[in-house]
Amino acid sequence: MGDILALAGSNLVSPMVLSFALGFAAALARSDLSFPEAAAKALSLYLLFAIGFKGGASVADHGLDATLVLAIAAGAALSAVIPLIAFALLQAISGLDRVNAAAVAAHYGSISIVTFVAATSALTTAGEGFEGYLVAVAAVMETPAILVALWLARAGRAGAAEPAGGTEPGLWREIALNGSIVLLTGAFLIGLATGPSGLAEISSFIIDPFKGVLCLFLLDMGLVAGRGMRTGARHLAAPVIGFGLCMPLIGAALGLAAGTAIGLSTGGIALMATLAASASYIAVPAAMRVALPEANPSIYLTLSLGVTFPFNLTVGIPLYSAAAALVSGG
Amino acid sequence: MELHPKKRLEVIVEAPALARILRFLDERGVKGYTILPAIAGSGASGRIWSREGQVGDAGRMVAIVAIMDEARLEQLFDDLYGIVSRQIGIVSISDCMVVRKDAF
């Protein structure tokens, strides 16, 4: 118990979490602090490239095994199952209509790559290793949740005509070739192809500055989350906020079970739990605006970014790491 | 200088719907259009939003401007409106004059 509290305490006072807290507080205080759009985009591109490359290089160094296939299959299954649970829970407690509940459920089945990056950083700081290929699992978990959520939304209006602008081949192309997925997967493949020697060549760029860049990015995320809470909180009833705090724990429990069942390391189990606990706020909202425009973005974006993301960053990541150590005996 | 009357179609719409609208315009043979990023604004909710305050495309807005013959606009407008009617945004049509009539 003492170890868990120490881990939680050190996470809370880490430069990354404090940077996020600074941004969040500045936004709530209506400070004019802001990041230029291009700078925020550049920071996110850097983080995606770095985490993908390091994951690929790690796999090249340690080799592939059957666990990789199992982990990808487990990730896809989690991404498909979690929206079903989230949808049922929302319908039971939140009073959201079917379309809004399905849209929110999609966010919780998909993942937040920033939460994943923050978790890998926390594990690295704690000296805990993890499987590099979990980057590929993260990429796989983006999409199944969207498919399930669209099915959930449309199952309630079976027989009704497909609305204008509904599902079309172009939508799936946009989701599958989402820039984040392409960069993450592409950098992973480059890291896999070039291995440790490739990593050594650019380590001064993608390893040494990594945590500093992550701090700046989380400062911006704090600003965005704080602004979202300031303007969107009135759209969130208490049961919906309760969902945003409970659903990560349910997802994490499933991730812990899946990671343990397929034999991941302690760090790998923690990351699988983090992925299952996190909620998307970039790829899925864009997909929902095209596929389910009736759903209210003030609900799903504010919930995912303003409630669940801060929860995972501050409480969730140390909790999932501690739980992973407990179940793996690590 | 001789000027020629045309119609100016302006669609201000949320960014995720942009690709779908451009595909539609291309399919309908609209030769030219201009896409502009919306920096900030305020909608029916009265809430001011800013492009810099968004983490992804979901909260961003763009403007698509296309100039064309009235006859072509009439042919495509209903179908275009079918695409954007469920999205956040504004569709407007106005009269304008151009110098090079064959360019539109």
Side-chain angles (χ1 to χ4, degrees):
Chain A
M1 190 64 186
D3 290 346
I4 295 174
L5 289 175
L7 184 63
S10 66
N11 181 66
L12 281 176
V13 294
S14 70
M16 280 73 78
V17 172
L18 291 177
S19 298
F20 178 83
L22 171 62
F24 199 86
L28 290 182
R30 298 176 185 269
S31 163
D32 64 355
L33 176 62
S34 68
F35 272 61
E37 183 186 339
K41 180 78 176 172
L43 293 177
S44 75
L45 291 176
Y46 169 85
L47 291 173
L48 286 167
F49 181 81
I51 195 75
F53 193 100
K54 284 189 283 187
S58 170
V59 171
D61 195 23
H62 297 103
L64 291 167
D65 57 34
T67 316
L68 165 67
V69 178
L70 290 174
I72 287 176
L78 284 169
S79 177
V81 168
I82 288 173
L84 297 173
I85 298 169
F87 182 77
L89 192 57
L90 283 164
Q91 292 245 295
I93 67 167
S94 73
L96 291 180
D97 62 34
R98 188 174 191 94
V99 170
N100 276 302
V104 171
H107 290 69
Y108 284 80
S110 188
I111 60 109
S112 152
I113 198 67
V114 183
T115 311
F116 177 78
V117 170
T120 61
S121 179
L123 288 171
T124 304
T125 301
E128 189 70 59
F130 51 86
E131 290 79 356
Y133 54 70
L134 285 167
V135 171
V137 177
V140 167
M141 289 178 76
E142 287 263 19
T143 310
I146 299 173
L147 299 173
V148 172
L150 294 185
W151 173 75
L152 284 169
R154 286 167 183 168
R157 53 188 184 204
E162 184 75 9
T167 308
E168 60 168 75
L171 173 65
W172 304 120
R173 183 181 170 281
E174 287 163 26
I175 294 170
L177 295 181
N178 168 286
S180 300
I181 296 177
V182 170
L183 180 56
L184 191 65
T185 309
F188 177 83
L189 293 174
I190 294 171
L192 186 63
T194 58
S197 62
L199 183 62
E201 281 184 51
I202 58 171
S203 67
S204 59
F205 175 66
I206 67 167
I207 293 181
D208 298 339
F210 185 81
K211 286 186 179 177
V213 174
L214 183 56
C215 284
L216 279 181
F217 188 71
L218 287 174
L219 175 62
D220 184 44
M221 291 299 296
L223 286 167
V224 174
R227 279 191 210 109
M229 276 305 282
R230 205 180 68 213
T231 58
R234 64 192 163 91
H235 295 281
L236 301 183
V240 177
I241 294 174
F243 168 86
L245 298 173
C246 290
M247 194 60 219
L249 300 176
I250 296 171
L254 294 171
L256 282 170
T260 306
I262 60 180
L264 293 178
S265 66
T266 301
I269 295 171
L271 285 183
M272 188 66 106
T274 302
L275 285 171
S278 68
S280 171
Y281 42 78
I282 299 177
V284 177
M288 290 298 110
R289 290 314 304 148
V290 175
L292 289 179
E294 308 93 331
N296 185 351
S298 295
I299 297 174
Y300 53 68
L301 257 179
T302 309
L303 191 60
S304 167
L305 191 55
V307 177
T308 299
F309 179 66
F311 173 79
N312 277 330
L313 197 63
T314 53
V315 178
I317 289 172
L319 185 64
Y320 311 146
S321 300
L326 206 62
V327 298
S328 66
Chain B
M1 182 185 295
E2 187 181 4
L3 295 172
H4 307 276
K6 295 285 178 181
K7 290 290 181 183
R8 183 179 191 272
L9 169 70
E10 181 175 282
V11 181
I12 300 174
V13 71
E14 44 193 330
L18 176 64
R20 177 173 296 190
I21 295 168
L22 296 187
R23 270 200 302 275
F24 172 81
L25 292 178
D26 288 341
E27 285 166 9
R28 291 302 185 92
V30 176
K31 288 183 193 170
Y33 44 75
T34 302
I35 303 160
L36 305 167
I39 296 172
S42 178
S45 66
R47 184 165 63 86
I48 297 172
W49 60 267
S50 164
R51 186 174 188 85
E52 285 190 354
Q54 310 297 327
V55 70
D57 270 351
R60 295 195 176 113
M61 303 289 286
V62 293
I64 306 156
V65 179
I67 295 173
M68 64 191 81
D69 281 329
E70 183 170 7
R72 180 186 289 276
L73 181 62
E74 284 176 359
Q75 285 171 2
L76 63 82
F77 186 78
D78 285 347
D79 291 338
L80 173 67
Y81 193 72
I83 294 174
V84 300
S85 61
R86 296 191 307 155
Q87 310 290 157
I88 298 168
I90 302 167
V91 180
S92 64
I93 297 165
S94 53
D95 295 320
C96 65
M97 307 293 279
V98 300
V99 176
R100 294 177 297 169
K101 72 172 183 179
D102 295 332
F104 302 95

